[in-house]
Amino acid sequence: MCTNILVGDIIRPSEEVIRNCSNPHLRRSFYGSFLARRPALVLKRTDGYYQDSEEAIIAYKLKTGEWREEKWRKWLKNFTFVKRPNNSDELNKFHNYRGFTKNRHLTIYFGVKCFFIRSWLGGVGITDPDVPYQYGDHPIDPSTLGKKIRVAFSQVHDCNHLRQDGKLPEGFLEKIKKKSSENIKNSETEIINKYNIKPENFWKKTKEISIRQLHDCYVLRKNGYQFTEADEYVSISVSDEFLGISVIDFSASPRRSEKYFRTNRSYLSRMLPFLSDDILNIDF
């Protein structure tokens, strides 16, 4: 099963998949190192969604002895388990690949005079119509920020369970969009009045980060990033203060390009220092 394969594991291309790969077009999708049955190293399990993720970012060991990180995610069902490192617990602090029944997603905005938190309605990706913005003063108190993040997560809703054959009930989305717009207007008006912000300046000088609640951790991502190398994971069990500090520090970190992370902070480069020789030198 895919859930039995963890970060740091050595895996190998499945002989069954290779044997059944007689179609030339299909074989092209399993090019190079896969068909050569080269050892593979699991670098990251991708985040779960409404079900467990069955994909991972891996690196193949080339015949030269070097490890090469693959650009695209791979289906773990096409591999078999070979070996697990002794420090597997250290490499697998979170079960981010586990699925969930409720999609919890927030965006945290850091303005000049305050911060505020917008909750997203799971299943449709619009502002939750029934959750007013959480907000607080500058300078930010980490404990207050952490507490308000958890309050927002506890209140957010998910409408995905209402879908029948992939479709929401007729008229549902139009009704929700109207309520959502009213919630946005009321929340923003309340913050503008409290902090004496000119309406036209409400969104100026605002940094924002996304935060999602997964199986046993939160994942933080900067606005606009479409890659995962810069994501940061924080345990759900940490204190409000630690959560707040983590979010503040993450938002204050410099923005870097995707090329920077792929070159200087790749999953492989971060993984190698934590692996023993019996893992790194494996070959077959």
PDB file of all heavy atoms in Angstrom, residues 95-110:
ATOM      1  N   HIS A  95       2.213  13.213   9.093  1.00  0.00           N
ATOM      2  CA  HIS A  95       1.517  12.377   8.130  1.00  0.00           C
ATOM      3  C   HIS A  95       0.713  13.280   7.190  1.00  0.00           C
ATOM      4  O   HIS A  95      -0.507  13.151   7.058  1.00  0.00           O
ATOM      5  CB  HIS A  95       0.601  11.392   8.851  1.00  0.00           C
ATOM      6  CG  HIS A  95       1.323  10.448   9.759  1.00  0.00           C
ATOM      7  ND1 HIS A  95       1.678  10.789  11.055  1.00  0.00           N
ATOM      8  CD2 HIS A  95       1.782   9.186   9.552  1.00  0.00           C
ATOM      9  CE1 HIS A  95       2.299   9.763  11.614  1.00  0.00           C
ATOM     10  NE2 HIS A  95       2.383   8.782  10.727  1.00  0.00           N
ATOM     11  N   ASN A  96       1.424  14.179   6.533  1.00  0.00           N
ATOM     12  CA  ASN A  96       0.776  15.161   5.665  1.00  0.00           C
ATOM     13  C   ASN A  96       0.060  14.526   4.479  1.00  0.00           C
ATOM     14  O   ASN A  96      -0.813  15.139   3.872  1.00  0.00           O
ATOM     15  CB  ASN A  96       1.801  16.174   5.148  1.00  0.00           C
ATOM     16  CG  ASN A  96       2.882  15.502   4.312  1.00  0.00           C
ATOM     17  OD1 ASN A  96       3.643  14.685   4.825  1.00  0.00           O
ATOM     18  ND2 ASN A  96       2.964  15.832   3.044  1.00  0.00           N
ATOM     19  N   TYR A  97       0.434  13.300   4.153  1.00  0.00           N
ATOM     20  CA  TYR A  97      -0.165  12.626   2.998  1.00  0.00           C
ATOM     21  C   TYR A  97      -1.513  11.998   3.316  1.00  0.00           C
ATOM     22  O   TYR A  97      -2.218  11.535   2.416  1.00  0.00           O
ATOM     23  CB  TYR A  97       0.794  11.544   2.477  1.00  0.00           C
ATOM     24  CG  TYR A  97       1.214  10.549   3.532  1.00  0.00           C
ATOM     25  CD1 TYR A  97       0.462   9.414   3.790  1.00  0.00           C
ATOM     26  CD2 TYR A  97       2.374  10.760   4.277  1.00  0.00           C
ATOM     27  CE1 TYR A  97       0.838   8.511   4.772  1.00  0.00           C
ATOM     28  CE2 TYR A  97       2.757   9.869   5.259  1.00  0.00           C
ATOM     29  CZ  TYR A  97       2.000   8.746   5.501  1.00  0.00           C
ATOM     30  OH  TYR A  97       2.373   7.861   6.473  1.00  0.00           O
ATOM     31  N   ARG A  98      -1.878  11.959   4.589  1.00  0.00           N
ATOM     32  CA  ARG A  98      -3.171  11.383   4.957  1.00  0.00           C
ATOM     33  C   ARG A  98      -4.316  12.284   4.493  1.00  0.00           C
ATOM     34  O   ARG A  98      -4.223  13.507   4.539  1.00  0.00           O
ATOM     35  CB  ARG A  98      -3.254  11.201   6.473  1.00  0.00           C
ATOM     36  CG  ARG A  98      -2.258  10.206   7.044  1.00  0.00           C
ATOM     37  CD  ARG A  98      -2.658   8.790   6.716  1.00  0.00           C
ATOM     38  NE  ARG A  98      -1.846   7.825   7.448  1.00  0.00           N
ATOM     39  CZ  ARG A  98      -1.931   6.517   7.293  1.00  0.00           C
ATOM     40  NH1 ARG A  98      -2.798   6.022   6.434  1.00  0.00           N
ATOM     41  NH2 ARG A  98      -1.159   5.712   7.994  1.00  0.00           N
ATOM     42  N   GLY A  99      -5.402  11.680   4.084  1.00  0.00           N
ATOM     43  CA  GLY A  99      -6.556  12.445   3.636  1.00  0.00           C
ATOM     44  C   GLY A  99      -7.375  12.977   4.798  1.00  0.00           C
ATOM     45  O   GLY A  99      -7.118  12.654   5.960  1.00  0.00           O
ATOM     46  N   PHE A 100      -8.362  13.819   4.489  1.00  0.00           N
ATOM     47  CA  PHE A 100      -9.225  14.389   5.520  1.00  0.00           C
ATOM     48  C   PHE A 100     -10.650  14.474   4.995  1.00  0.00           C
ATOM     49  O   PHE A 100     -10.891  14.341   3.792  1.00  0.00           O
ATOM     50  CB  PHE A 100      -8.733  15.777   5.954  1.00  0.00           C
ATOM     51  CG  PHE A 100      -8.374  16.700   4.808  1.00  0.00           C
ATOM     52  CD1 PHE A 100      -9.353  17.248   3.996  1.00  0.00           C
ATOM     53  CD2 PHE A 100      -7.052  17.007   4.547  1.00  0.00           C
ATOM     54  CE1 PHE A 100      -9.031  18.086   2.950  1.00  0.00           C
ATOM     55  CE2 PHE A 100      -6.708  17.852   3.491  1.00  0.00           C
ATOM     56  CZ  PHE A 100      -7.701  18.390   2.700  1.00  0.00           C
ATOM     57  N   THR A 101     -11.573  14.666   5.892  1.00  0.00           N
ATOM     58  CA  THR A 101     -12.988  14.770   5.501  1.00  0.00           C
ATOM     59  C   THR A 101     -13.449  16.211   5.396  1.00  0.00           C
ATOM     60  O   THR A 101     -14.490  16.492   4.810  1.00  0.00           O
ATOM     61  CB  THR A 101     -13.882  14.034   6.516  1.00  0.00           C
ATOM     62  OG1 THR A 101     -13.663  14.586   7.825  1.00  0.00           O
ATOM     63  CG2 THR A 101     -13.561  12.553   6.544  1.00  0.00           C
ATOM     64  N   LYS A 102     -12.665  17.136   5.982  1.00  0.00           N
ATOM     65  CA  LYS A 102     -13.038  18.541   5.967  1.00  0.00           C
ATOM     66  C   LYS A 102     -11.851  19.381   5.522  1.00  0.00           C
ATOM     67  O   LYS A 102     -10.790  19.344   6.137  1.00  0.00           O
ATOM     68  CB  LYS A 102     -13.496  18.987   7.366  1.00  0.00           C
ATOM     69  CG  LYS A 102     -14.037  20.408   7.425  1.00  0.00           C
ATOM     70  CD  LYS A 102     -14.543  20.729   8.834  1.00  0.00           C
ATOM     71  CE  LYS A 102     -15.127  22.123   8.924  1.00  0.00           C
ATOM     72  NZ  LYS A 102     -15.625  22.437  10.280  1.00  0.00           N
ATOM     73  N   ASN A 103     -12.033  20.123   4.440  1.00  0.00           N
ATOM     74  CA  ASN A 103     -10.978  20.951   3.884  1.00  0.00           C
ATOM     75  C   ASN A 103     -10.917  22.277   4.644  1.00  0.00           C
ATOM     76  O   ASN A 103     -11.838  23.087   4.557  1.00  0.00           O
ATOM     77  CB  ASN A 103     -11.240  21.197   2.397  1.00  0.00           C
ATOM     78  CG  ASN A 103     -10.135  21.992   1.743  1.00  0.00           C
ATOM     79  OD1 ASN A 103      -9.061  22.161   2.303  1.00  0.00           O
ATOM     80  ND2 ASN A 103     -10.395  22.489   0.543  1.00  0.00           N
ATOM     81  N   ARG A 104      -9.853  22.484   5.397  1.00  0.00           N
ATOM     82  CA  ARG A 104      -9.684  23.708   6.191  1.00  0.00           C
ATOM     83  C   ARG A 104      -8.566  24.555   5.588  1.00  0.00           C
ATOM     84  O   ARG A 104      -7.418  24.130   5.552  1.00  0.00           O
ATOM     85  CB  ARG A 104      -9.362  23.363   7.649  1.00  0.00           C
ATOM     86  CG  ARG A 104     -10.482  22.628   8.384  1.00  0.00           C
ATOM     87  CD  ARG A 104     -10.033  22.272   9.790  1.00  0.00           C
ATOM     88  NE  ARG A 104     -11.115  21.731  10.598  1.00  0.00           N
ATOM     89  CZ  ARG A 104     -11.391  20.437  10.699  1.00  0.00           C
ATOM     90  NH1 ARG A 104     -10.677  19.556  10.021  1.00  0.00           N
ATOM     91  NH2 ARG A 104     -12.390  20.011  11.459  1.00  0.00           N
ATOM     92  N   HIS A 105      -8.926  25.753   5.144  1.00  0.00           N
ATOM     93  CA  HIS A 105      -7.976  26.617   4.446  1.00  0.00           C
ATOM     94  C   HIS A 105      -8.213  28.065   4.849  1.00  0.00           C
ATOM     95  O   HIS A 105      -9.352  28.548   4.783  1.00  0.00           O
ATOM     96  CB  HIS A 105      -8.136  26.441   2.931  1.00  0.00           C
ATOM     97  CG  HIS A 105      -7.224  27.303   2.123  1.00  0.00           C
ATOM     98  ND1 HIS A 105      -7.512  27.694   0.829  1.00  0.00           N
ATOM     99  CD2 HIS A 105      -6.020  27.864   2.420  1.00  0.00           C
ATOM    100  CE1 HIS A 105      -6.537  28.433   0.367  1.00  0.00           C
ATOM    101  NE2 HIS A 105      -5.626  28.565   1.315  1.00  0.00           N
ATOM    102  N   LEU A 106      -7.140  28.754   5.253  1.00  0.00           N
ATOM    103  CA  LEU A 106      -7.205  30.162   5.635  1.00  0.00           C
ATOM    104  C   LEU A 106      -6.173  30.948   4.841  1.00  0.00           C
ATOM    105  O   LEU A 106      -5.179  30.402   4.367  1.00  0.00           O
ATOM    106  CB  LEU A 106      -6.896  30.349   7.131  1.00  0.00           C
ATOM    107  CG  LEU A 106      -7.587  29.455   8.157  1.00  0.00           C
ATOM    108  CD1 LEU A 106      -7.021  29.748   9.539  1.00  0.00           C
ATOM    109  CD2 LEU A 106      -9.092  29.670   8.122  1.00  0.00           C
ATOM    110  N   THR A 107      -6.407  32.254   4.722  1.00  0.00           N
ATOM    111  CA  THR A 107      -5.379  33.180   4.253  1.00  0.00           C
ATOM    112  C   THR A 107      -5.196  34.243   5.325  1.00  0.00           C
ATOM    113  O   THR A 107      -6.173  34.829   5.805  1.00  0.00           O
ATOM    114  CB  THR A 107      -5.763  33.841   2.924  1.00  0.00           C
ATOM    115  OG1 THR A 107      -5.961  32.826   1.929  1.00  0.00           O
ATOM    116  CG2 THR A 107      -4.656  34.767   2.448  1.00  0.00           C
ATOM    117  N   ILE A 108      -3.947  34.479   5.699  1.00  0.00           N
ATOM    118  CA  ILE A 108      -3.622  35.465   6.723  1.00  0.00           C
ATOM    119  C   ILE A 108      -2.987  36.670   6.043  1.00  0.00           C
ATOM    120  O   ILE A 108      -2.015  36.531   5.296  1.00  0.00           O
ATOM    121  CB  ILE A 108      -2.666  34.886   7.779  1.00  0.00           C
ATOM    122  CG1 ILE A 108      -3.224  33.570   8.325  1.00  0.00           C
ATOM    123  CG2 ILE A 108      -2.432  35.889   8.911  1.00  0.00           C
ATOM    124  CD1 ILE A 108      -2.263  32.846   9.249  1.00  0.00           C
ATOM    125  N   TYR A 109      -3.545  37.843   6.298  1.00  0.00           N
ATOM    126  CA  TYR A 109      -3.065  39.088   5.698  1.00  0.00           C
ATOM    127  C   TYR A 109      -2.415  39.941   6.778  1.00  0.00           C
ATOM    128  O   TYR A 109      -2.972  40.123   7.872  1.00  0.00           O
ATOM    129  CB  TYR A 109      -4.227  39.858   5.067  1.00  0.00           C
ATOM    130  CG  TYR A 109      -4.982  39.088   4.007  1.00  0.00           C
ATOM    131  CD1 TYR A 109      -6.026  38.231   4.357  1.00  0.00           C
ATOM    132  CD2 TYR A 109      -4.661  39.222   2.664  1.00  0.00           C
ATOM    133  CE1 TYR A 109      -6.724  37.527   3.382  1.00  0.00           C
ATOM    134  CE2 TYR A 109      -5.356  38.511   1.682  1.00  0.00           C
ATOM    135  CZ  TYR A 109      -6.385  37.669   2.056  1.00  0.00           C
ATOM    136  OH  TYR A 109      -7.069  36.971   1.105  1.00  0.00           O
ATOM    137  N   PHE A 110      -1.244  40.483   6.447  1.00  0.00           N
ATOM    138  CA  PHE A 110      -0.515  41.338   7.387  1.00  0.00           C
ATOM    139  C   PHE A 110      -0.467  42.743   6.818  1.00  0.00           C
ATOM    140  O   PHE A 110       0.283  43.034   5.880  1.00  0.00           O
ATOM    141  CB  PHE A 110       0.905  40.802   7.602  1.00  0.00           C
ATOM    142  CG  PHE A 110       0.939  39.421   8.196  1.00  0.00           C
ATOM    143  CD1 PHE A 110       0.937  38.299   7.379  1.00  0.00           C
ATOM    144  CD2 PHE A 110       0.958  39.242   9.568  1.00  0.00           C
ATOM    145  CE1 PHE A 110       0.957  37.019   7.924  1.00  0.00           C
ATOM    146  CE2 PHE A 110       0.975  37.976  10.123  1.00  0.00           C
ATOM    147  CZ  PHE A 110       0.975  36.861   9.298  1.00  0.00           C
TER     148      PHE A 110
END
